[in-house]
Amino acid sequence: MGSSDSSEEVFQTKTILACLLVLAISMPLSNASCFFQPLKQGTSDHENEGCHDSEGVLHEFDSHWRTDDCFDCSCTRSGIDCCTSYATPVGYDEEKCVSIFNKETCTYIVVNKDDQSKECAIHEWVG
């Protein structure tokens, strides 16, 4: 009876650890802004060659790219998956500081409102 109880405890411990691992991995990802665009079926007799993005550009299956709006996208046989490629600062003094987004580098900086040469401390990021 003792052996059975021990293996059940081990199973419960492993189950709890697996659940915690899934939670730890999914929490940082849950704040990202993502969208899915289903694949439109081809109009000809042959299979689609890839995914057409919102600008009409064809991307091959299993390819990855970054949009002008800083989304990282991928093309699958189901469609296009895109998520923001950047983190957004949320843990800073919003009365004294302002966040500025650089579209060329897809990054934020947070600077003092009165003297933008001084960066502000950021304590939390989302995304």
Side-chain angles (χ1 to χ4, degrees), residues 33-35 65-67 69-73 82-86:
S33 175
C34 299
F35 66 89
W65 68 96
R66 179 167 287 175
T67 69
D69 293 329
C70 297
F71 279 88
D72 286 332
C73 299
C82 295
C83 291
T84 53
S85 62
Y86 54 88

Side-chain angles (χ1 to χ4, degrees), residues 50-101:
C51 305
H52 289 274
D53 65 19
S54 60
E55 296 178 5
V57 176
L58 178 65
H59 299 274
E60 293 180 4
F61 290 121
D62 301 320
S63 64
H64 303 272
W65 68 96
R66 179 167 287 175
T67 69
D68 292 338
D69 293 329
C70 297
F71 279 88
D72 286 332
C73 299
S74 61
C75 172
T76 68
R77 295 204 176 270
S78 299
I80 298 175
D81 283 307
C82 295
C83 291
T84 53
S85 62
Y86 54 88
T88 303
V90 293
Y92 62 92
D93 186 344
E94 293 185 27
E95 290 183 24
K96 296 179 182 176
C97 304
V98 62
S99 65
I100 300 172
F101 186 70

Side-chain angles (χ1 to χ4, degrees), residues 1-113:
M1 189 176 218
S3 171
S4 174
D5 290 340
S6 176
S7 56
E8 186 175 338
E9 287 177 27
V10 170
F11 176 75
Q12 288 176 346
T13 301
K14 287 183 178 181
T15 303
I16 290 170
L17 289 174
C19 290
L20 289 174
L21 178 62
V22 168
L23 182 62
I25 292 170
S26 64
M27 284 303 290
L29 301 175
S30 66
N31 291 320
S33 175
C34 299
F35 66 89
F36 176 74
Q37 176 184 331
L39 187 64
K40 295 178 183 172
Q41 295 303 316
T43 55
S44 65
D45 292 336
H46 66 283
E47 287 289 315
N48 285 323
E49 297 174 16
C51 305
H52 289 274
D53 65 19
S54 60
E55 296 178 5
V57 176
L58 178 65
H59 299 274
E60 293 180 4
F61 290 121
D62 301 320
S63 64
H64 303 272
W65 68 96
R66 179 167 287 175
T67 69
D68 292 338
D69 293 329
C70 297
F71 279 88
D72 286 332
C73 299
S74 61
C75 172
T76 68
R77 295 204 176 270
S78 299
I80 298 175
D81 283 307
C82 295
C83 291
T84 53
S85 62
Y86 54 88
T88 303
V90 293
Y92 62 92
D93 186 344
E94 293 185 27
E95 290 183 24
K96 296 179 182 176
C97 304
V98 62
S99 65
I100 300 172
F101 186 70
N102 182 332
K103 209 170 180 179
E104 290 182 21
T105 62
C106 298
T107 58
Y108 275 98
I109 60 168
V110 178
V111 294
N112 187 289
K113 287 181 181 178

